[in-house]
Amino acid sequence: MITAAQIIPLGLMIPVLVCVGYNDLRSMRIPNILSLVAVGLFLVSVPFVPFSEVLFRLLAATIVFAIGFAFFAFGLFGGGDVKILAALMLFIPSQSLTLFALVFSGSMLLGIVAITVWQWTPLLRSDGWAASQTKGQFAMGISIALSGVLHFLIMLLGFL
């Protein structure tokens, strides 16, 4: 059973996720400070989450970071994407990891379609944002942010 103490930290993470999406679209970079703020929020929320749950979240974040680092090494992910996705995993309850995987997959698909349309539409592309100017690259931060926000809303609806 997911408790309010497990949902609230992810809710506190939403402003960070909004900043992640904005910065990645604007400059194709996710500042390290956002990952540090996320880890700080997690550390503040640790007393409200059962110890076994904290361990599961740390394990999930470590696995995501290791896989992401491999993708980064092959040029498939940006470093900021890897760090913020691993940090986001600290806020996902272990009972809802499968749901998060589905939400993240859908967010990636939606993000790819939206960015592709944005990059290929001359009227939209003239806005000066880096994500619209760099064809063949994907600002994954928007999908990471969307998946965190949607996951929070889905868990909140399930909790209510």
Side-chain angles (χ1 to χ4, degrees):
M1 168 114 178
I2 295 174
T3 65
Q6 292 177 315
I7 296 172
I8 291 170
L10 182 57
L12 295 174
M13 181 70 174
I14 289 177
V16 175
L17 293 172
V18 169
C19 289
V20 164
Y22 174 82
N23 278 291
D24 209 19
L25 289 174
R26 191 76 176 143
S27 64
M28 293 293 288
R29 295 205 174 276
I30 300 172
N32 287 334
I33 190 69
L34 295 176
S35 298
L36 291 172
V37 168
V39 170
L41 281 173
F42 174 70
L43 292 175
V44 169
S45 70
V46 164
F48 304 104
V49 179
F51 182 70
S52 61
E53 179 65 20
V54 170
L55 293 178
F56 277 120
R57 291 182 189 193
L58 286 170
L59 177 63
T62 302
I63 291 169
V64 166
F65 186 79
I67 292 169
F69 185 78
F71 284 2
F72 171 73
F74 288 105
L76 300 173
F77 279 13
D81 300 327
V82 172
K83 289 179 278 190
I84 200 65
L85 185 57
L88 178 58
M89 296 310 297
L90 297 171
F91 295 89
I92 305 299
S94 59
Q95 304 95 321
S96 68
L97 285 173
T98 305
L99 173 63
F100 180 77
L102 286 170
V103 171
F104 182 66
S105 298
S107 296
M108 286 291 289
L109 182 61
L110 184 60
I112 290 168
V113 169
I115 297 287
T116 302
V117 168
W118 189 16
Q119 290 175 344
W120 287 97
T121 307
L123 184 61
L124 297 175
R125 194 174 59 240
S126 65
D127 62 7
W129 288 47
S132 70
Q133 305 295 319
T134 52
K135 287 188 180 176
Q137 292 187 354
F138 173 57
M140 197 165 115
I142 193 66
S143 293
I144 294 169
L146 182 62
S147 65
V149 171
L150 289 177
H151 190 77
F152 171 75
L153 293 174
I154 291 167
M155 286 192 338
L156 187 62
L157 289 174
F159 180 74
L160 297 177

